[in-house]
Amino acid sequence: MTTTGIRTAPVTERPAHRDGNVLRWLGAYSASAIGDNVFYLALSWAAIKSGSPAQAGLVMAVSAVPRALLMLGGGVVADRFGPRRVVIGSDAVRCAAVFAAAALLVLASPGVWPLAALGFVFGTVDALFMPAVGALPARITARHQLARVQGMRGLVIRLANVVGAPLGGFGIALGGSAAAFGIAGLLFAASLPLLMSVRIAKLPAEERAGESAGEGTGSGRTAWRELGDGLRYIRRHRVLAPLMVVVALGDLGFVGPLNIGLTLLADERGWGASGVGLVLAGFGAGAGGSALLLTVRGRLPRAGLVLSGTCAVGAVGIGAVAYVPSLPAAAGAALLVGLLVGLTGALASALAQTEADPAYVGRVTAVGGLVSLGVAPLTYPLTGWAVGIWGTAPIFTVSAATCALAGVYGLSSRGLRAAELPR
């Protein structure tokens, strides 16, 4: 490969929130994240209108399977070819697929199975996109700015959650699922020129060899061998190995209750949809506050210790949501959970980026996101089944215990406990 078409530049020392290169990446990520929210709302609405509730659930679940199976391979691809190239390519495919779905809905009534195929394609491309977009910050800013970038990214995620659903609903009201798919496609399309304008820093090996991003990593090596190298690298690392365990346990304990258990809890308590919205708003406000804290400060001392401690304390809030006597109290507990767990997630991402060798960032990001983005969604039916047998309170208790175990494990690891973000 050559460097033709790849904009390279040394990483600047400017603060991330004043760096035009970072802001272009952030703008592209914002458009793409909002597009994701619009897309999934449009997909669920189209599936409900085209088939039975069970078929609609299948359409929504089918995208999680390739994401879970291919996520680690996506990390290898990001490291081999460079995250910028992979992000641009996968975003272009998502854009084309969504526009094609919009056109199909305008011209015909395709039924459930073409929608399932769209979900499968989207999940497959996500397996490439997510590790690459997570690995890109390490190539566009200085190491000591990565915590601030993760804070900015967290704010964008909250913004996307707030803006995406109403925007998708507006599209559906305007012209059905086809219009909503069209809006998602336009957002993906808007992210592409911004991504193409982002400059990346070369890895040291690339500078020595004069090769393109990632080629030095993958030259003459199979993808399986690179994946094995990445997993061994993580397993032997004194910070990354325990960090991945904490992230996995924390996600398993947190994602199910938030996405499935909360709806069932609201139904059990008679809170209704507005109650779910209020509790989710509390969580979103807390997570947004933790992201804003990192954005403003740029760094927290004793990051490994704080990460593990907030995970352990946040577990108490997860359990409290199911036991507090009133809806306002549940929203307050969710606010605490969002603040603490949001801080845990942002610090975990920042530590993963700063501790990992640049040649392995894609694979480290893939391992870190595998549980929350690939495996955890597959546990939703299990969570619903368990709540149906034992009720919500015991399931929230088990989830809280899992998150607490994650925090205690992190506190017991000397390497993670002593980990610091660069100054």
Side-chain angles (χ1 to χ4, degrees):
M1 297 179 189
T2 68
T3 57
T4 302
I6 301 298
R7 296 165 63 93
T8 60
V11 169
T12 69
E13 293 297 319
R14 282 176 291 181
H17 61 286
R18 297 177 183 173
D19 187 343
N21 199 41
V22 174
L23 293 177
R24 287 191 295 274
W25 167 81
L26 192 68
Y29 183 71
S30 300
S32 185
I34 296 171
D36 275 343
N37 281 267
V38 174
F39 167 79
Y40 280 110
L41 180 62
L43 182 65
S44 64
W45 186 263
I48 289 169
K49 291 297 183 181
S50 300
S52 66
Q55 289 174 323
L58 177 64
V59 169
M60 297 306 295
V62 75
S63 65
V65 175
R67 197 162 53 220
L69 294 177
L70 302 175
M71 181 77 75
L72 295 179
V76 173
V77 172
D79 285 335
R80 172 175 282 209
F81 298 104
R84 178 182 177 276
R85 183 181 283 125
V86 176
V87 167
I88 292 173
S90 56
D91 223 23
V93 172
R94 298 200 306 173
C95 179
V98 173
F99 275 136
L104 182 62
L105 287 171
V106 169
L107 298 173
S109 299
V112 169
W113 299 117
L115 296 174
L118 173 64
F120 182 85
V121 169
F122 210 84
T124 301
V125 177
D126 266 356
L128 300 174
F129 177 82
M130 290 175 175
V133 80
L136 199 53
R139 304 288 290 271
I140 63 175
T141 192
R143 290 179 69 248
H144 67 275
Q145 291 295 319
L146 286 173
R148 177 172 276 123
V149 169
Q150 294 305 321
M152 296 163 66
R153 185 182 179 189
L155 288 174
V156 165
I157 292 172
R158 298 303 135 211
L159 174 67
N161 291 337
V162 171
V163 173
L167 186 58
F170 171 76
I172 291 171
L174 187 67
S177 295
F181 279 133
I183 291 173
L186 288 174
L187 288 164
F188 294 141
S191 71
L192 288 172
L194 290 170
L195 286 170
M196 292 176 182
S197 69
V198 171
R199 303 184 306 274
I200 62 170
K202 289 184 177 181
L203 300 181
E206 295 168 350
E207 292 177 346
R208 288 194 303 268
E211 296 174 338
S212 63
E215 186 172 322
T217 302
S219 180
R221 301 169 69 86
T222 66
W224 280 111
R225 185 169 181 181
E226 288 180 46
L227 176 58
D229 287 346
L231 295 177
R232 283 189 292 272
Y233 171 77
I234 294 171
R235 179 171 56 84
R236 296 167 180 169
H237 200 285
R238 62 189 298 270
V239 174
L240 293 177
L243 179 62
M244 293 299 109
V245 174
V246 170
V247 168
L249 288 173
D251 285 341
L252 284 175
F254 175 73
V255 174
L258 178 67
N259 290 280
I260 297 297
L262 181 58
T263 303
L264 298 174
L265 177 66
D267 181 65
E268 182 182 284
R269 298 286 185 88
W271 292 343
S274 61
V276 175
L278 181 61
V279 176
L280 285 176
F283 167 77
S290 64
L292 182 61
L293 174 65
L294 270 183
T295 300
V296 172
R297 295 202 49 159
R299 180 184 183 274
L300 290 180
R302 308 293 298 274
L305 180 63
V306 172
L307 178 157
S308 302
T310 53
C311 185
V313 177
V316 177
I318 293 174
V321 170
Y323 288 95
V324 293
S326 66
L327 178 57
L335 178 68
L336 174 66
V337 172
L339 180 63
L340 296 175
V341 175
L343 192 58
T344 297
L347 288 175
S349 296
L351 277 177
Q353 299 254 327
T354 56
E355 290 287 341
D357 184 285
Y360 290 94
V361 171
R363 280 163 284 184
V364 171
T365 303
V367 172
L370 176 63
V371 174
S372 61
L373 300 173
V375 176
L378 301 179
T379 67
Y380 293 167
L382 178 62
T383 301
W385 173 79
V387 169
I389 295 178
W390 293 293
T392 53
I395 303 308
F396 271 78
T397 300
V398 171
S399 297
T402 305
C403 287
L405 178 62
V408 170
Y409 180 86
L411 291 171
S412 67
S413 167
R414 180 180 300 177
L416 181 56
R417 194 172 62 244
E420 291 276 13
L421 292 170
R423 295 183 181 274

